[in-house]
Amino acid sequence: MPTAFPTLVECFGDLPDPRVERTRAYPLMDILIMGICATICGGEGWEDMAEFAKAKRDWLTQHLQLPGRTPCADTFRRVFSRVDPAALQECFRRWTLALHALTEGEVIALDGKTLRHSFDTACAMAAVHMVSAWASKARLVLGQVKVAEKSNEIPAVPALLALLDIRGCIVTADALNCQRATAAQIIAGGGEYVLAVKGNQPTLEAAVVGRLDYLQDHPFEEAKRSVCTRHDKGHGRLETRTCELVTLDTDDALWGDLQQEWAGLRSFARITCTRQMGEKVSEEVRYFISSLPGSASKVLSSVRQHWGIENRLHYVLDVSMDEDACRIRKDHAAQNLAVLRHIALNLMRQETTCKCGIKARLKLAGWDTQYMAKILLAEIQ
């Protein structure tokens, strides 16, 4: 059993081994760590893992219980195709909790991503779609759940929330996941929410738009209205974001019916984003419901942090780790490999001595085993 990476071993050490006893030439924990290391170095599949293990055998032997040879590509494929994804998810959740304790007011963004080349036309198998939870302040993946085939994100989000401790946190989601059951689950779990509203909830959208328009036209009721404006400049553009928020009373006389349907509902918000690039000016208006009363600034900040899951997770997975190009799809392989990428990304986020981007860190880890060890040991710093 490897001893150099104690938190990984502690959290993943009881992962059930899907192999029969006589075929276990390599300990499951060793295969898992080799897979993680290969992924940190930019490996994208089973052949890359096997070549990494062969090239770094002397270094790996210092930490793992390798016999006279390293695993072949088929060994990695068989193991990761058969490991129980639910058990791997639970180990991942425990490990993430060991890395970082969520703090009061931290924004947890929920969003889905399709592994675009994980489909198999011959078997009529659709591409794998994963819903992830992202801690915006810590820049860590907290968990992920695969969307069932012939389904969508709506039933997957409650399953993901059930894995997380959201007490004191603010959960954000797009309009697809603006659902009554989701809002109720967040409130029951001790969290707050900011959920986008669009035409998929027509009655709710009409109520939000109507109330905000009314208060805008009747300034004598300003006591219930809060406004916050922020400016951002960079990359040749100027962006102005204005959040208008109206607070609802508890058991509000006008909106009591909606509050009965939407647990914890305390405010409506409208965010207007104006973007100027040279002479070109564009405007976008978005609407939200929230359990946060009174503070347009907090809602605006939460919505802004939500986009970290796109910019710092999904973009990095696609551009730096080439996730969309991966054709691995058999059994549980695509889902488990997605978890390996999240483990690798969380480890690289924890290592803060190198100030370069993720793509450069992938290269550096492959070149320098000392830096690789630093990434793996960052988990216990």
Side-chain angles (χ1 to χ4, degrees):
M1 182 67 67
T3 58
F5 320 117
T7 309
L8 276 173
V9 173
E10 180 182 344
C11 296
F12 289 89
D14 61 351
L15 181 67
D17 195 327
R19 300 168 295 173
V20 296
E21 187 72 35
R22 61 183 173 79
T23 64
R24 298 177 185 179
Y26 306 91
L28 179 61
M29 194 66 213
D30 286 5
I31 293 176
L32 179 65
I33 288 180
M34 282 186 278
I36 293 170
C37 290
T39 304
I40 290 173
C41 293
E44 298 172 10
W46 318 133
E47 289 78 10
D48 288 352
M49 291 180 184
E51 290 301 321
F52 167 83
K54 188 185 300 182
K56 302 293 185 181
R57 183 184 178 282
D58 291 343
W59 179 76
L60 290 170
T61 304
Q62 299 173 24
H63 306 289
L64 309 179
Q65 296 177 355
L66 292 179
R69 64 190 185 282
T70 55
C72 65
D74 281 345
T75 298
F76 286 107
R77 175 182 56 80
R78 286 193 297 269
V79 170
F80 286 111
S81 295
R82 295 166 56 194
V83 163
D84 180 7
L88 185 61
Q89 297 279 5
E90 174 58 23
C91 293
F92 178 89
R93 186 190 67 81
R94 292 203 308 261
W95 175 68
T96 305
L97 286 175
L99 284 182
H100 174 73
L102 294 174
T103 56
E104 184 84 15
E106 181 147 21
V107 174
I108 299 176
L110 307 178
D111 198 18
K113 181 182 182 299
T114 300
L115 313 183
R116 298 197 177 277
H117 278 79
S118 60
F119 65 89
D120 190 345
T121 305
C123 301
M125 185 177 75
V128 172
H129 190 84
M130 303 283 289
V131 179
S132 301
W134 172 258
S136 299
K137 182 179 178 182
R139 298 187 180 185
L140 290 174
V141 184
L142 300 177
Q144 56 281 301
V145 168
K146 179 186 174 184
V147 174
E149 288 192 42
K150 299 181 181 179
S151 184
N152 56 35
E153 292 180 22
I154 294 175
V157 165
L160 178 56
L161 285 171
L163 300 175
L164 306 175
D165 181 1
I166 60 173
R167 288 174 294 180
C169 298
I170 302 170
V171 179
T172 62
D174 58 16
L176 175 63
N177 293 304
C178 180
Q179 303 291 331
R180 295 172 181 82
T182 300
Q185 186 175 358
I186 293 169
I187 295 299
E192 306 287 353
Y193 63 78
V194 177
L195 305 176
V197 178
K198 287 186 178 178
N200 61 323
Q201 298 284 354
T203 302
L204 181 62
E205 183 185 38
V208 173
V209 174
R211 185 58 173 165
L212 286 163
D213 286 347
Y214 175 83
L215 286 181
Q216 193 174 44
D217 296 335
H218 296 76
F220 57 85
E221 295 191 24
E222 282 284 322
K224 293 185 178 181
R225 184 167 173 264
S226 171
V227 180
C228 175
T229 299
R230 292 177 183 169
H231 304 278
D232 288 313
K233 186 175 182 180
H235 304 286
R237 62 178 180 264
L238 174 65
E239 293 187 5
T240 301
R241 297 179 184 84
T242 300
C243 178
E244 307 165 71
L245 180 135
V246 53
T247 298
L248 310 179
D249 295 330
T250 304
D251 299 323
D252 194 288
L254 286 175
W255 310 106
D257 290 345
L258 276 179
Q259 289 176 318
Q260 290 292 323
E261 297 177 13
W262 295 87
L265 178 60
R266 289 300 310 277
S267 60
F268 299 153
R270 170 166 53 205
I271 296 180
T272 304
C273 180
T274 304
R275 174 180 294 184
Q276 182 177 350
M277 296 186 67
E279 300 297 322
K280 184 179 179 181
V281 179
S282 61
E283 184 177 274
E284 180 184 18
V285 180
R286 292 173 289 160
Y287 294 91
F288 301 84
I289 60 170
S290 177
S291 60
L292 299 169
S295 176
S297 175
K298 184 177 289 189
V299 170
L300 181 58
S301 178
S302 299
V303 171
R304 183 65 172 153
Q305 290 182 62
H306 174 81
W307 292 104
I309 194 171
E310 292 286 353
N311 300 332
R312 297 190 173 99
L313 177 58
H314 295 165
Y315 179 84
V316 170
L317 289 172
D318 285 343
V319 175
S320 298
M321 307 184 82
D322 215 14
E323 182 174 70
D324 274 353
C326 184
R327 293 291 290 147
I328 291 172
R329 56 191 181 274
K330 185 178 179 181
D331 299 327
H332 304 308
Q335 185 177 354
N336 289 334
L337 192 53
V339 176
L340 249 62
R341 295 190 194 98
H342 289 167
I343 294 171
L345 189 55
N346 280 358
L347 282 169
M348 286 188 285
R349 296 285 191 197
Q350 290 295 105
E351 203 294 298
T352 58
T353 62
C354 180
K355 302 303 180 184
C356 55
I358 294 297
K359 188 74 171 182
R361 295 187 195 189
L362 292 172
K363 296 177 183 178
L364 184 57
W367 297 332
D368 186 353
T369 53
Q370 289 186 346
Y371 182 67
M372 164 67 78
K374 188 180 291 186
I375 290 175
L376 290 167
L377 292 173
E379 58 158 354
I380 60 171
Q381 290 179 358

